Amino acid sequence: MNDRQNRVSLVLGSGGARGYAHIGVIRAINEHGLQICNIAGTSMGAVVGGIYAAGHLDTYTEWASRLEKKDVVKLLDLSFTWKSIFKGERIFEVLKELIGDRRIEELDRGFVAVATALEEQREVWLNKGPLFQAIRASSAVPGVFAPVELEGRVLVDGGLVNPIPIAPTLNDTTDLTIAVNLNALEEPKRMVTKSRRPREEQDDSYRERIKQFLSEHVMPDGEQEEEANVSDILSKSIDVMQGAIARMKLATYAPDKVINIPRHACSFFEFDRAEEMADLGYEATRRALNDLSL
């Protein structure tokens, strides 16, 4: 394959825990002989894309694959404010200790994290400054994680306005653009998982752990039953909103290749499923690239 024909701009979309699929997507693209030169990411797409651009995806993948439900809950730091349920700081401190922080402009690849400016009601492209500050802003799910204040702006999750950020790549001098849509409507195909841990029973699911956590630390007595379906409602609401916007963005910008990850593959908050989602992303990308001729 000619070096002048394999330069890729990679667009990594938002979708909560389904964003672990980006790990497998990147692995399959590299195995196909393509060179990822520029990355635009929103929310979990910014997390995985930024860490890859910094050269530490293997370290992150190993760490994420070991997470169990109890470990995920321990990473949640209550905010005790009206801004959000969790601060969202603890997990990023752990990641910075694990792989270190970098400035975006010093990375070997072009990288843009997309966030939403609340007061201006528009998307913001973060392509300079501390990497984890940009990632943190891009993934601050409103009401769940505290917003980030940066240069006079209040920034939250970029998926609110752009869950599949193709626009930041339009001026790239690459050969093709590959976008990953984590909100596809297809029913998930049967997945072969290499997970080392057996799936636990439904009553021990991550959602149950979170509800238990909230009932013990946040919810007043008597409100636990009303809270029982809040995480499901929030997760499905985010999926509906981001799915609709993603379809509009794909129709408007039409990237060269779209990797579709079904939104039913896992729920927004199931962050203990890194290995399974990475395998799904890898297989979906291999299928999508089979007919790619360069």
Side-chain angles (χ1 to χ4, degrees):
M1 186 176 297
N2 191 306
D3 287 343
R4 298 175 63 183
Q5 296 180 306
N6 70 347
R7 293 166 55 84
V8 171
S9 290
L10 182 60
V11 178
L12 301 179
S14 63
R18 291 189 299 278
Y20 285 134
H22 295 319
I23 296 171
V25 170
I26 291 171
R27 180 159 60 95
I29 289 174
N30 287 332
E31 288 183 3
H32 200 78
L34 301 173
Q35 180 184 1
I36 300 171
C37 298
N38 297 306
I39 302 169
T42 293
S43 200
M44 267 296 281
V47 174
V48 176
I51 291 174
Y52 173 70
H56 293 285
L57 187 59
D58 289 344
T59 301
Y60 173 74
T61 301
E62 182 180 354
W63 173 80
S65 297
R66 292 199 304 265
L67 289 178
E68 298 182 8
K69 295 178 178 69
K70 62 181 181 181
D71 301 315
V72 176
V73 172
K74 290 178 181 178
L75 291 170
L76 300 175
D77 45 355
L78 285 169
S79 67
F80 299 104
T81 72
W82 292 107
K83 292 183 178 180
S84 62
I85 299 173
F86 306 110
K87 296 178 185 177
E89 296 174 358
R90 183 177 299 163
I91 184 171
F92 288 101
E93 289 301 322
V94 170
L95 290 176
K96 281 193 282 187
E97 290 177 6
L98 183 69
I99 65 178
D101 201 358
R102 300 271 300 278
R103 292 188 66 84
I104 295 175
E105 55 267 39
E106 298 171 352
L107 299 176
D108 294 334
R109 297 174 175 84
F111 175 71
V112 177
V114 176
T116 300
L118 278 182
E119 298 300 327
E120 300 171 48
Q121 299 184 19
R122 68 180 184 87
E123 66 185 82
V124 174
W125 299 354
L126 304 174
N127 58 7
K128 62 181 179 179
L131 174 64
F132 275 104
Q133 184 181 57
I135 292 173
R136 169 75 177 80
S138 181
S139 57
V141 180
V144 179
F145 297 113
V148 173
E149 295 187 13
L150 181 62
E151 297 181 354
R153 290 170 165 160
V154 178
L155 303 180
V156 295
D157 196 301
L160 284 180
V161 293
N162 197 347
I164 185 163
I166 303 167
T169 69
L170 293 181
N171 292 325
D172 290 351
T173 56
T174 50
D175 302 300
L176 73 160
T177 300
I178 299 175
V180 184
N181 177 20
L182 300 180
N183 295 282
L185 294 175
E186 301 99 299
E187 288 296 322
K189 297 179 175 63
R190 184 177 64 86
M191 291 178 289
V192 178
T193 176
K194 300 177 182 178
S195 176
R196 297 184 297 272
R197 305 182 302 273
R199 299 303 301 163
E200 301 180 37
E201 297 297 326
Q202 181 64 27
D203 61 0
D204 192 33
S205 69
Y206 176 65
R207 288 189 296 272
E208 293 297 326
R209 292 289 188 93
I210 284 293
K211 283 182 283 188
Q212 180 181 352
F213 184 85
L214 291 173
S215 68
E216 291 176 354
H217 298 280
V218 180
M219 298 301 297
D221 292 340
E223 294 187 19
Q224 288 90 335
E225 188 63 32
E226 183 179 349
E227 176 70 12
N229 292 319
V230 168
S231 61
D232 277 340
I233 293 171
L234 177 60
S235 174
K236 291 176 181 178
S237 298
I238 293 172
D239 285 345
V240 169
M241 175 191 70
Q242 294 189 348
I245 300 174
R247 289 191 292 275
M248 180 186 69
K249 296 291 185 181
L250 288 169
T252 301
Y253 295 112
D256 299 290
K257 276 289 180 181
V258 179
I259 312 298
N260 284 311
I261 305 298
R263 69 184 185 193
H264 300 298
C266 82
S267 77
F268 194 91
F269 296 110
E270 290 185 291
F271 285 98
D272 63 308
R273 298 179 64 180
E275 191 169 0
E276 184 179 352
M277 290 299 100
D279 287 345
L280 177 60
Y282 178 79
E283 293 301 330
T285 305
R286 286 190 61 186
R287 290 194 300 271
L289 296 181
N290 277 340
D291 60 346
L292 183 65
S293 58
L294 292 173

